[in-house]
Amino acid sequence: MATTYASMLDLWGACPVTALELIEVARNPDHTPWGNAGEELIRRHLLEEDGTMRDAVRRIVLSSSTGEGMNTTLTHPVKS
């Protein structure tokens, strides 16, 4: 859990659009990430090679994110 959350925080700082795509995939498994976001999420092991998200990652992403779009905030999943 800590590694996934740390990766999310790093992603949020480096490329917020890709972080938002991660959250969207967690909320909607049928969502196709925009641009090269999917490749970046696979590289960071937040998505599987086939573009799917493991249930454990999905739970962490959903429990640590609130809001929509650029109004999204991240909080530690244990504290949320």
Side-chain angles (χ1 to χ4, degrees):
M1 187 269 314
T3 304
T4 299
Y5 183 67
S7 186
M8 286 178 62
L9 287 178
D10 181 64
L11 185 62
W12 189 259
C15 187
V17 171
T18 302
L20 291 171
E21 289 296 312
L22 172 70
I23 294 166
E24 194 58 37
V25 170
R27 292 176 178 171
N28 175 10
D30 294 327
H31 178 74
T32 301
W34 180 79
N36 67 348
E39 295 168 11
E40 179 65 17
L41 294 172
I42 290 168
R43 188 182 73 72
R44 291 175 179 256
H45 304 286
L46 294 166
L47 291 181
E48 297 296 309
E49 288 290 328
D50 64 0
T52 61
M53 184 179 286
R54 285 176 280 136
D55 289 338
V57 172
R58 182 179 318 284
R59 286 190 295 272
I60 293 165
V61 171
L62 292 175
S63 66
S64 62
S65 59
T66 57
E68 294 289 328
M70 294 310 287
N71 292 322
T72 299
T73 58
L74 298 180
T75 56
H76 194 279
V78 176
K79 295 178 183 177
S80 53

